[in-house]
Amino acid sequence: MEYLSKLHKEYQVTIIQVTHDASTTEYSDKIIHLVDGKIKD
Amino acid sequence: MGIKVSAKNISKSYDGNAIFKDLNLVIESGDFVSIMGASGSGKSTLLNALSGNDELDQGSVYFDDVNITILNDKDMALLRKTKLGFVYQFFNLVQTLKVKDNILLPIYLKGEHFSNVKPHYENLCKMLDIKDLEDKYPDQISGGEQMNLQVIWIVTPLLK
């Protein structure tokens, strides 16, 4: 995650990650919760 | 910075079961977005839809204003090669290539020579502090390190 965060900052790439581990979302700007195929705000 | 990816009214089902229906989503350029959900919530299906790895039943996905839903295989492959990087949960480094050549694989696949990207490659190694790994083979480094290195593939297609 540290590399991913560094690369995100340095190269300003857009990152979309899929996870069920909340600890990996600490570097995210935005979290989308998907429940039964629907986005929960 | 503008919109990078947008999904408009996308639907996908498998064997008659709707995974998602009429879903809309916008991802801004430079965002770091996490899609969270329990197993079976449709998150991997959504990622495959957003990245053009899977066909949709309905709706469109736009990447940099290009409707990727209607791209043919050749154009989609070109987009993947030049603008997208994928990192998988289970590492997929090529075991017969040194770390350096693994990192540069997206460059070689574009038909470019190492000399074109040398300064950028060196900058990348310095930034991530991996200079001492570059001449090793994947089986000579730890699983965690292999996983970390694969992350680099998200930017190597961009090195110029």
Side-chain angles (χ1 to χ4, degrees), chain A residues 14-19 32 34, chain B residues 5 7 10 12 14 19-20 23 25 27 33-36 41-56 61 63 68 76 80 84-89:
Chain A
T14 309
I15 298 176
I16 307 172
Q17 74 162 356
V18 155
T19 182
I32 294 169
L34 206 60
Chain B
V5 186
I10 58 169
K12 179 77 188 174
Y14 283 114
I19 310 295
F20 46 78
L23 192 126
L25 180 64
I27 290 166
V33 178
S34 290
I35 300 173
M36 284 200 76
S41 61
K43 55 188 191 301
S44 295
T45 306
L46 178 59
L47 185 69
N48 282 331
L50 294 177
S51 55
N53 280 338
D54 206 354
E55 282 182 21
L56 296 168
V61 172
F63 185 95
I68 64 169
M76 191 62 226
R80 240 181 244 125
L84 293 171
F86 295 93
V87 180
Y88 294 94
Q89 189 171 3

Side-chain angles (χ1 to χ4, degrees), chain B residues 82-115:
Chain B
T82 54
K83 291 191 169 182
L84 293 171
F86 295 93
V87 180
Y88 294 94
Q89 189 171 3
F90 303 101
F91 45 82
N92 289 297
L93 293 185
V94 180
Q95 298 295 313
T96 51
L97 293 179
K98 284 179 182 175
V99 163
K100 178 183 173 183
D101 294 324
N102 261 290
I103 292 171
L104 292 166
L105 202 53
I107 299 296
Y108 300 149
L109 288 173
K110 279 203 289 185
E112 285 183 34
H113 196 265
F114 175 57
S115 57

Side-chain angles (χ1 to χ4, degrees), chain A residues 3-4 6-8 10-11 13-20 25 27-34 37 39, chain B residues 4 19-20 23 25 27 30-37 41-43 124 127-128 130 145 148 151 158:
Chain A
Y3 281 15
L4 206 55
K6 276 186 182 175
L7 295 171
H8 177 236
E10 182 77 15
Y11 293 91
V13 286
T14 309
I15 298 176
I16 307 172
Q17 74 162 356
V18 155
T19 182
H20 46 225
T25 63
Y27 300 107
S28 304
D29 309 310
K30 211 180 278 177
I31 300 173
I32 294 169
H33 292 276
L34 206 60
I39 293 171
Chain B
K4 193 74 191 172
I19 310 295
F20 46 78
L23 192 126
L25 180 64
I27 290 166
D31 265 0
F32 188 152
V33 178
S34 290
I35 300 173
M36 284 200 76
S41 61
K43 55 188 191 301
L124 186 65
M127 190 180 82
L128 300 176
I130 52 168
E145 207 55 57
N148 285 342
V151 165
L158 306 174

